[in-house]
Amino acid sequence: MNIELLNQASAFISQEADMLDHGEYPEWLALWEEKGLYIVPINPDETDFANTLNYACDDAKMRNLRVARLGSGESISTSPAPRTIRSVSRFRILADDGKTVTVRCAQNLREFRKEIQKHYTANLTYTLVRDGDSFRIQQKVVRLLNSSDALQCIGYIP
Amino acid sequence: MTSQATSKGHTLADLVQHDRVHTSLYTDPAIFETEMDKVFANTWVWVAHTSEIPEAGSYKTGYIGRQPVVTVRDRKQQVHVLLNRCRHRAATVCEGHKGKTNSFVCPYHGWSYSLDGALRGVPSPESYGDLLDKADYPLVKLRVEEYAGMIFATFKDDIEPLVDFLGPAKKWMDLFMKQGGGFPVKVGGEHRFRFPGNWKIQLENTTDAYHFPLVHKSFLSSVDKQTEEMLDFVEGPGFVEDLGNGHSVMVMIPDLVDLEANLDAPIPERFAALAEELRADYPEDQVRRIVRAVGGSGFNLNIFPNIACSMAFFRVLRPVSVTETEIHHAVITMDGGPEAGNRARLRMHEHFQGPMGFGTPDDSEAWERVQKGSNAGTDQWILLNRGLAKEQETADGRRSDVSAETGMRAAYRQWKKLMTA
Ligand code: FES
Ligand SMILES: [Fe+2]
């Protein structure tokens, strides 16, 4: 097992989680490859994201718009903004071709907003492109444990 | 029933007036119980689009009111809507949202039913002697009718034919289905979510143009100028029309009522790249027809009580309790149509709809606040008199301006008729 790579990848993903929990969106947007895709599928086994309906399938433009919306104060579902704390763990390197690394991990996310705390658990799968001693995100897939159920609205970036 | 006293000494009939309804319609559990019986078990209720059960054995589970049902296509292509309840001791015979099966086998003691609901097999029948005639115990079957690919079922065997119930709504359904762009309309997946509020709050919202610029400000800020202008319809030339039997239509963008008209008009900027991509495979007239269809219809058709044909998707509502409602937003794609066009529709749907869309969560928040605010006051009313001043009779019903509450008044008139019958 390549412990050094595992450490590098988990450090990168933990940092990304921390950015999202603390609303550091410009920094988060800068983690991405220009052609990167942020995806939250409905069917947990889905692989053809382009040709199916997802909860989110964001290219760079949509990621920027999503971030702008969260901070705009124009949306009643995100003002006040939900507070989130997520922990990421159970990291595993699924593939490594020297240029890109595929990593899977577990995410436990608690959200609190206006009197109600909710819990979302997900499998995260990242395709990371090596960039010096760090990475850039080519793809992040958030497979919510209950994605095929009727959800409540999600006013943050899981 | 009309004389039955309900909340605050009002009778059911008093609770709905021509320009207002009583707040207890959102909050009273006894009214909700009555609705399950008098409304949902007494009218045509939408269960599926034909594309959701495409082949013999395809099924979709769902609810009529709170009663679980299965909609299934049998080997002769006949569609059945069956109560999802074993005739032995009540276990559901079908689980999962959609799928394909050869038969329904109850998991508890193994009674098996064919796709049309007939009881075929009973394990170890000897113990019954001659007490059990299988012909007496098929899955309970509802009356089913279909129009424009929309499948409806009813518990009320002597109800008027579906086409009569739909009435003038039919021509709007026909117009809506033009968004297949020359291909059959197909449900291409759906967003399902719940909000803590009464089902009629969502029913009202389908023909509520008034909220759009305010609640959807963040969505409007995320689209191009041309789209933003197109969606600036509250003071525009559109209208809401009461179509009878609780149905209504809200036309926001009159230019987009008929998607097969004006095909020579310039292609909007946001579809220029899609049009260019389509030109590789389709002649210009077809490109224009597809592109115009991809953008969706310029109206919302509300069909009482549980389905709407809304711009580019089907909105389905399911009452869960007096204070909880489940909503499905089913995306419409072109069956066999260009993948690029369907991808554009999927991305547009994701942009506005669903729990992570830029529109739905704000609607959901507004509805939640209606429910919360409804707990204030002891004898308060919900005002529905917007647009009443200029409302005119039409051939199909009554019409007023686009942000009139005419559609809500239509729905509550039907609600009152059913609830006091
Ligand atoms: S409950 Fe279905 S077989 Fe007994
Ligand atoms: Fe809305």
Side-chain angles (χ1 to χ4, degrees):
Chain A
M1 193 179 287
N2 186 340
I3 299 294
E4 197 191 328
L5 179 60
L6 194 62
N7 273 336
Q8 272 181 345
S10 60
F12 178 82
I13 291 168
S14 298
Q15 175 190 259
E16 189 228 358
D18 190 71
M19 285 177 182
L20 287 172
D21 280 343
H22 292 91
E24 294 170 19
Y25 296 119
E27 291 79 0
W28 182 73
L29 289 170
L31 297 178
W32 288 81
E33 287 264 288
E34 175 59 25
K35 290 234 174 313
L37 283 179
Y38 169 81
I39 300 152
V40 185
I42 296 174
N43 175 354
D45 304 321
E46 192 58 63
T47 53
D48 183 6
F49 308 117
N51 294 302
T52 50
L53 186 69
N54 307 283
Y55 291 118
C57 184
D58 290 0
D59 58 11
K61 185 181 167 204
M62 279 299 286
R63 282 195 299 278
N64 277 283
L65 289 173
R66 191 176 294 279
V67 163
R69 177 171 177 273
L70 292 182
S72 68
E74 291 178 343
S75 142
I76 48 172
S77 63
T78 58
S79 25
R83 296 201 287 262
T84 60
I85 295 180
R86 66 196 79 197
S87 34
V88 280
S89 59
R90 204 206 60 199
F91 295 94
R92 182 174 175 196
I93 307 289
L94 296 180
D96 172 18
D97 66 5
K99 255 178 85 182
T100 62
V101 183
T102 309
V103 191
R104 186 167 63 205
C105 65
Q107 169 168 285
N108 266 301
L109 187 156
R110 300 265 178 186
E111 170 210 346
F112 176 74
R113 179 173 183 268
K114 296 206 304 184
E115 303 169 347
I116 294 172
Q117 180 171 296
K118 293 177 199 156
H119 187 184
Y120 277 106
T121 305
N123 274 308
L124 308 182
T125 308
Y126 289 82
T127 311
L128 303 175
V129 182
R130 289 178 200 271
D131 183 24
D133 58 358
S134 185
F135 303 97
R136 291 168 82 80
I137 308 171
Q138 192 174 80
Q139 184 169 283
K140 175 181 177 182
V141 183
V142 181
R143 290 187 169 88
L144 298 167
L145 181 61
N146 54 344
S147 62
S148 55
D149 197 4
L151 302 182
Q152 301 265 330
C153 289
I154 298 174
Y156 52 90
I157 298 176
Chain B
M1 197 42 128
T2 28
S3 62
Q4 186 199 338
T6 63
S7 304
K8 310 299 165 202
H10 298 288
T11 63
L12 268 178
D14 291 342
L15 296 176
V16 175
Q17 306 200 354
H18 77 291
D19 62 348
R20 64 190 60 202
V21 298
H22 197 263
T23 310
S24 56
L25 266 69
Y26 297 162
T27 56
D28 186 344
I31 289 181
F32 183 84
E33 291 301 320
T34 310
E35 287 173 341
M36 293 305 102
D37 176 28
K38 292 264 179 181
V39 177
F40 285 87
N42 264 299
T43 190
W44 286 106
V45 175
W46 183 89
V47 287
H49 183 262
T50 187
S51 66
E52 294 181 279
I53 46 166
E55 294 160 28
S58 300
Y59 67 84
K60 176 191 179 189
T61 61
Y63 293 85
I64 294 184
R66 277 175 310 192
Q67 304 194 45
V69 298
V70 193
T71 303
V72 60
R73 193 178 295 278
D74 74 13
R75 277 177 235 293
K76 294 176 197 140
Q77 298 298 319
Q78 176 110 24
V79 176
H80 303 277
V81 177
L82 308 166
L83 286 192
N84 192 356
R85 178 201 164 115
C86 180
R87 292 300 302 274
H88 177 220
R89 293 215 315 262
T92 57
V93 295
C94 184
E95 290 283 316
H97 188 43
K98 283 178 200 173
K100 227 182 135 176
T101 187
N102 290 320
S103 60
F104 298 112
V105 181
C106 179
Y108 199 5
H109 312 95
W111 286 27
S112 60
Y113 303 86
S114 56
L115 296 173
D116 63 1
L119 177 58
R120 281 292 154 78
V122 172
S124 310
E126 306 75 25
S127 171
Y128 287 107
D130 59 4
L131 295 176
L132 187 80
D133 182 350
K134 292 207 285 287
D136 292 341
Y137 296 99
L139 296 175
V140 175
K141 203 183 282 193
L142 276 65
R143 193 170 143 196
V144 187
E145 285 173 27
E146 190 174 325
Y147 183 80
M150 304 290 266
I151 304 166
F152 294 76
T154 183
F155 283 99
K156 194 172 158 60
D157 285 330
D158 61 352
I159 200 172
E160 64 198 311
L162 176 67
V163 289
D164 294 352
F165 169 72
L166 294 171
K170 291 202 303 291
K171 66 169 179 269
W172 293 98
M173 293 167 80
D174 294 337
L175 284 165
F176 191 77
M177 301 308 166
K178 290 190 181 187
Q179 59 195 294
F183 300 92
V185 157
K186 180 182 172 185
V187 167
E190 61 193 343
H191 287 137
R192 300 192 293 155
F193 66 99
R194 289 183 175 203
F195 74 96
N198 188 268
W199 63 279
K200 297 184 293 304
I201 298 170
Q202 153 71 91
L203 183 73
E204 292 170 13
N205 182 262
T206 295
T207 55
D208 185 311
Y210 198 20
H211 81 288
F212 202 91
L214 203 66
V215 168
H216 300 306
K217 197 168 193 319
S218 79
F219 173 76
L220 291 167
S221 296
S222 75
V223 298
D224 61 282
K225 260 261 131 351
Q226 218 176 12
T227 307
E228 193 182 348
E229 278 163 20
M230 180 184 83
L231 294 172
D232 182 15
F233 46 68
V234 170
E235 287 167 18
F239 60 87
V240 184
E241 189 164 10
D242 173 346
L243 302 173
N245 289 344
H247 319 315
S248 60
V249 65
M250 170 175 73
V251 174
M252 296 86 84
I253 310 158
D255 176 51
L256 294 177
V257 163
D258 186 348
L259 296 175
E260 286 167 358
N262 299 332
L263 289 176
D264 300 332
I267 289 175
E269 192 50 42
R270 67 185 179 286
F271 293 127
L274 172 63
E276 201 43 48
E277 196 175 345
L278 294 174
R279 282 185 187 110
D281 298 316
Y282 298 92
E284 186 63 22
D285 57 333
Q286 211 178 345
V287 167
R288 287 175 169 269
R289 190 173 174 199
I290 293 168
V291 166
R292 198 166 145 86
V294 163
S297 301
F299 61 87
N300 288 357
L301 173 67
N302 212 5
I303 300 175
F304 189 89
N306 76 326
I307 181 76
C309 298
S310 183
M311 295 194 84
F313 65 98
F314 297 125
R315 187 274 293 142
V316 188
L317 71 78
R318 173 190 157 204
V320 177
S321 75
V322 66
T323 55
E324 188 167 17
T325 305
E326 184 169 312
I327 309 287
H328 304 170
H329 288 161
V331 64
I332 294 168
T333 56
M334 300 170 274
D335 196 1
E339 283 194 349
N342 284 338
R343 278 196 292 268
R345 291 193 70 110
L346 293 166
R347 299 296 90 79
M348 280 165 45
H349 195 82
E350 289 158 358
H351 189 164
F352 191 96
Q353 316 296 340
M356 288 187 70
F358 290 21
T360 297
D362 295 323
D363 279 322
S364 178
E365 173 84 7
W367 307 333
E368 184 174 340
R369 298 210 6 203
V370 170
Q371 189 70 35
K372 192 173 169 187
S374 294
N375 293 316
T378 51
D379 193 10
Q380 297 283 318
W381 294 79
I382 305 295
L383 280 187
L384 296 170
N385 56 351
R386 192 176 164 81
L388 201 50
K390 289 190 218 149
E391 205 166 76
Q392 303 280 340
E393 300 265 350
T394 60
D396 289 340
R398 304 184 65 78
R399 185 186 280 199
S400 190
D401 68 273
V402 66
S403 73
E405 284 154 349
T406 304
M408 302 162 214
R409 293 193 285 273
Y412 283 114
R413 196 172 316 115
Q414 180 73 1
W415 184 92
K416 180 173 176 171
K417 184 178 151 196
L418 292 170
M419 289 289 279
T420 57

